[in-house]
Amino acid sequence: MRHFKTVVVCLACLTAVGLLGAVAFFFWPHSLPEVVASASQPSGAALIERGKYLTTAADCEACHTAPGGKPFEGGLGFELPFGTLYSPNITPDTETGIGGWSDAEFVRAVRSGVGKHGEDLYPAFPYTSYALLSSDDVLAIKAYLDTLPPVVRKPPQNDLLFPFNQRYVMRGWKLLFVPGSPFKPDETKSEGWNNGAYLVEALAHCGECHTPRGLMFQRKQGEGLSGGELEGWTAWNITPDASTGIGSWTDEEIASYLSKGYAHGRGPAAGAMRQAIDLSFSRLPESDINDIVAYLRTVPSLPSSYEVKPASTGPAASQASNPWSPHQFAGGLGRQLFEGACASCHGWDGTGQNSSRAALTGSHSVNDPTGANLVRVILHGSTDSIGTATSSMPSFAQAYSDSEIAALSNYVISHFGGKRGAVTPGDVEKAR
Ligand code: HEC
Ligand code: HEC
Ligand code: HEC
């Protein structure tokens, strides 16, 4: 289940925009022109290969697969502030999937968020990024999806409140927030930079998670990649800002994090980022990863959109008022728990014992006093699809109470981050 609950949606705004949409309906083009590939589109096996690459880079699988389900059969739940939406089946089954869709209908869905019968789709489907894809690339994705085994599966019925269950409400929103034309290469820049820009802004849709959202769930203009929030996790600032972004990371560190899921001195990736790396970025060619790094170096440098607490107030200060501070417990409950449950894999010094993936040194999660990601990693664990003993972190949700996990988190933040953790048992309860 993906949660968007914490996004404050301005009901009045959405309704107003919905009315605008209803008016716009009369001016909307109603017939659907045919979409044809350009002369440079590959054919045969080369087209399928290209489509497979694009489908991987766009990570269509992550959202169109329910836990334990078959790839692309849909059914993953998205918890929105006004109910639950389920991703559809995009295998080529003609009844429950997209087997009966024309090329034009598919291109319109992916780039404009419009369903087969003209209905408006919700932006949990990131067509605001995919709008930048070229027609050729969307057609190649369809050609690849058409080769998959059809799966018969109907996702559960959406459960959305009025007026949000009225899809036309989205129409005005789309007029305002969906780019009207595909990505245009910048001729003054290198081919690699343009490829990196296309990957970051369109295919890999980094901004859908790393850009803060406004009152209407739109990505905030002018704050691109400065940090977003997803399911309670913080998707950190990835602009070149030196203190709160990734300006101080070396190219090798960014490339290692994106392709392997960890970087020496920067810690491992968890949550949705771990999944995106596992299903998508780790499967991209090295040249793509280098192009992404080159592009990220050139985006506007911005301070974090989320709150960054002042650096190291030191352990002394942490003894002051926070009742969940490790120092408030005789013998240090947090320390005791860390010793018993964590040190065997992570080491006292955070070097990760025998696994470089378990090295915590420099991890953003253990340096963030809110502990947003840390608490979630402790509760839910972290692993890739292979999940070997050295690559997985178990879940501790059942093992410890909210107070224990709060004390443990604050200990980890002070021990590895040198900061005063602010995690309360209430925060842990919310993250469960
Ligand atoms: C972040 C999650 C996410 C990603 C990534 C994603 N989708 Fe979706 N997609 C959704 C959701 C949710 C819906 C349902 C939207 C609705 O019902 O309004 C959807 C709807 C669709 C539809 C409409 C199907 C129908 O039956 O109406 C198509 C087609 C589609 N997606 C294809 C793709 C393709 C192709 C990709 C990769 C290029 C992709 N999606 C990536 C979440 C996602
Ligand atoms: C589905 C949501 C999602 C997408 C898409 C996504 N990220 Fe992330 N990213 C996250 C989250 C959540 C974290 C925090 C992970 C953690 O702390 O373990 C993160 C962490 C990172 C970090 C580590 C930053 C730090 O300070 O530790 C980098 C670098 C990064 N992402 C780059 C990217 C790039 C580049 C892309 C696109 C190619 C991308 N991400 C796409 C959600 C996402
Ligand atoms: C069985 C070994 C093992 C145990 C026990 C373990 N971990 Fe982990 N931990 C890992 C591995 C491996 C990773 C990297 C996971 C990945 O790459 O998906 C990790 C990742 C992490 C991260 C990084 C998340 C990020 O976003 O940067 C944190 C923080 C963490 N563990 C804390 C803990 C704490 C606290 C405990 C004790 C309650 C603990 N771990 C117990 C193996 C373990």
Side-chain angles (χ1 to χ4, degrees), residues 2 200 204-206 209-210 230 233-238 246 249 254 257-258 266 268-273 276 281 292 296 364-365 373:
R2 292 231 166 140
V200 169
H205 58 275
C206 316
C209 299
H210 284 279
L230 174 94
W233 291 74
T234 306
W236 313 113
N237 179 1
I238 57 168
I246 56 171
W249 293 41
I254 305 173
Y257 188 93
L258 291 175
R266 303 293 178 179
M273 188 64 190
F281 312 149
I292 290 175
L296 286 177
H364 208 144
S365 294
N373 296 4

Side-chain angles (χ1 to χ4, degrees), residues 233 236 257 260-262 266-271 274 337-338 340-346 355-360 363-366 373-375 377-378 381-384 388-394 396 400 408-409 412 416:
W233 291 74
W236 313 113
Y257 188 93
K260 293 191 233 158
Y262 65 88
R266 303 293 178 179
R274 155 59 62 203
L337 292 173
F338 185 81
C342 323
S344 61
C345 288
H346 289 292
S355 162
S356 32
R357 254 177 75 170
L360 292 183
S363 157
H364 208 144
S365 294
V366 301
N373 296 4
L374 172 62
V375 165
V377 172
I378 297 174
S382 178
T383 186
D384 59 17
T388 61
T390 50
S391 70
S392 343
M393 148 114 184
F396 290 89
Y400 300 120
L408 170 62
S409 301
V412 169
F416 293 113

Side-chain angles (χ1 to χ4, degrees), residues 82-398:
F82 43 87
T84 307
L85 172 72
Y86 293 90
S87 62
N89 179 345
I90 57 167
T91 73
D93 180 57
T94 43
E95 290 300 312
T96 60
I98 57 168
W101 288 47
S102 70
D103 283 355
E105 285 163 352
F106 185 80
V107 171
R108 181 177 66 171
V110 174
R111 277 213 310 232
S112 318
V114 177
K116 183 171 171 61
H117 307 290
E119 71 277 21
D120 295 288
L121 300 174
Y122 296 95
F125 175 21
Y127 52 77
T128 43
S129 294
Y130 297 152
L132 298 172
L133 296 175
S134 70
S135 304
D136 278 5
D137 284 352
V138 182
L139 292 171
I141 290 173
K142 180 166 189 289
Y144 168 68
L145 292 176
D146 284 343
T147 67
L148 298 172
V151 181
V152 183
R153 185 188 201 255
K154 241 186 148 71
Q157 277 283 320
N158 294 333
D159 180 17
L160 301 170
L161 292 174
F162 184 85
F164 305 105
N165 55 2
Q166 304 299 304
R167 289 183 173 270
Y168 66 81
V169 168
M170 294 321 305
R171 193 153 298 174
W173 188 94
K174 294 199 301 188
L175 272 179
L176 294 175
F177 303 123
V178 183
S181 53
F183 174 77
K184 277 186 206 63
D186 180 342
E187 305 295 346
T188 68
K189 300 279 199 329
S190 69
E191 209 175 297
W193 183 93
N194 277 298
N195 183 46
Y198 190 60
L199 280 158
V200 169
E201 305 294 346
L203 273 173
H205 58 275
C206 316
E208 296 286 339
C209 299
H210 284 279
T211 297
R213 293 192 184 265
L215 287 176
M216 288 191 275
F217 192 69
Q218 84 282 16
R219 283 183 283 153
K220 282 193 185 163
Q221 283 274 324
E223 295 187 32
L225 305 179
S226 67
E229 201 237 76
L230 174 94
E231 308 161 24
W233 291 74
T234 306
W236 313 113
N237 179 1
I238 57 168
T239 76
D241 183 58
S243 61
T244 65
I246 56 171
S248 65
W249 293 41
T250 64
D251 287 358
E252 291 70 29
E253 283 167 353
I254 305 173
S256 167
Y257 188 93
L258 291 175
S259 54
K260 293 191 233 158
Y262 65 88
H264 184 67
R266 303 293 178 179
M273 188 64 190
R274 155 59 62 203
Q275 193 192 23
I277 290 167
D278 191 27
L279 290 175
S280 175
F281 312 149
S282 65
R283 300 181 189 177
L284 297 179
E286 199 183 328
S287 57
D288 273 357
I289 297 291
N290 294 337
D291 292 346
I292 290 175
V293 175
Y295 174 70
L296 286 177
R297 293 296 193 204
T298 65
V299 303
S301 176
L302 297 167
S304 289
S305 61
Y306 47 87
E307 191 187 356
V308 180
K309 297 262 170 66
S312 183
T313 46
S318 70
Q319 288 170 20
S321 60
N322 180 356
W324 306 104
S325 147
H327 307 277
Q328 299 292 322
F329 291 89
L333 173 61
R335 182 192 163 99
Q336 210 177 303
L337 292 173
F338 185 81
E339 188 172 19
C342 323
S344 61
C345 288
H346 289 292
W348 264 116
D349 53 356
T351 51
Q353 303 283 66
N354 302 320
S355 162
S356 32
R357 254 177 75 170
L360 292 183
T361 327
S363 157
H364 208 144
S365 294
V366 301
N367 278 278
D368 168 23
T370 72
N373 296 4
L374 172 62
V375 165
R376 284 166 176 83
V377 172
I378 297 174
L379 285 173
H380 309 302
S382 178
T383 186
D384 59 17
S385 51
I386 304 162
T388 61
T390 50
S391 70
S392 343
M393 148 114 184
S395 148
F396 290 89
Q398 302 305 319

